[in-house]
C-alpha cells in the first residue's frame, strides 16, 4: 500500500469511530437495534487505524503519522473518557 492510502485509512478509522460513538450516544435511543454500535466501533476501528498509521510511520517517519497514531489512541479511549468525565461532572 502507498503512504497516502495508509494515512487515509488511519484518519478514516479515527473519524468513523468518533462519528459512530457520537451517533450512538446522541441519536440512538436504548430501544433501537443499533444500541451499542458506537462502543463496538470504538474498540474495533481504532486499532486498525493505529496499525495503518504505524506502518506509515515506519515508512516516512513524519509527524503526521505520529499525530494519526495519537488520534486513533484517543478514539480508542473515547468510551472510557466519556464514562470518566461523565462521572466527574454529573456524579455516579
Amino acid at each position: 500500500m502507498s503512504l497516502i492510502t495508509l494515512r487515509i485509512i488511519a484518519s478514516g478509522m479515527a473519524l468513523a469511530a468518533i462519528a459512530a460513538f457520537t451517533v450512538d450516544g446522541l441519536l440512538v435511543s436504548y430501544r433501537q437495534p443499533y444500541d451499542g454500535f458506537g462502543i463496538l466501533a470504538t474498540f474495533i476501528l481504532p486499532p486498525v487505524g493505529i496499525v495503518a498509521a504505524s506502518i506509515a510511520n515506519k515508512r516516512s517517519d513524519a509527524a503526521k503519522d505520529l499525530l494519526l497514531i495519537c488520534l486513533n489512541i484517543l478514539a480508542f479511549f473515547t468510551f472510557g473518557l466519556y464514562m470518566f468525565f461523565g462521572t466527574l461532572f454529573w456524579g455516579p
Side-chain angles (χ1 to χ4, degrees), residues 34-46:
Y34 296 115
D35 183 37
F37 178 69
I39 297 170
L40 182 68
T42 303
F43 293 124
I44 291 176
L45 295 178

Side-chain angles (χ1 to χ4, degrees), residues 24-25 28-33 35-36 82:
D24 181 44
V28 179
S29 68
Y30 291 106
R31 292 177 289 279
Q32 296 291 329
D35 183 37
Y82 177 74

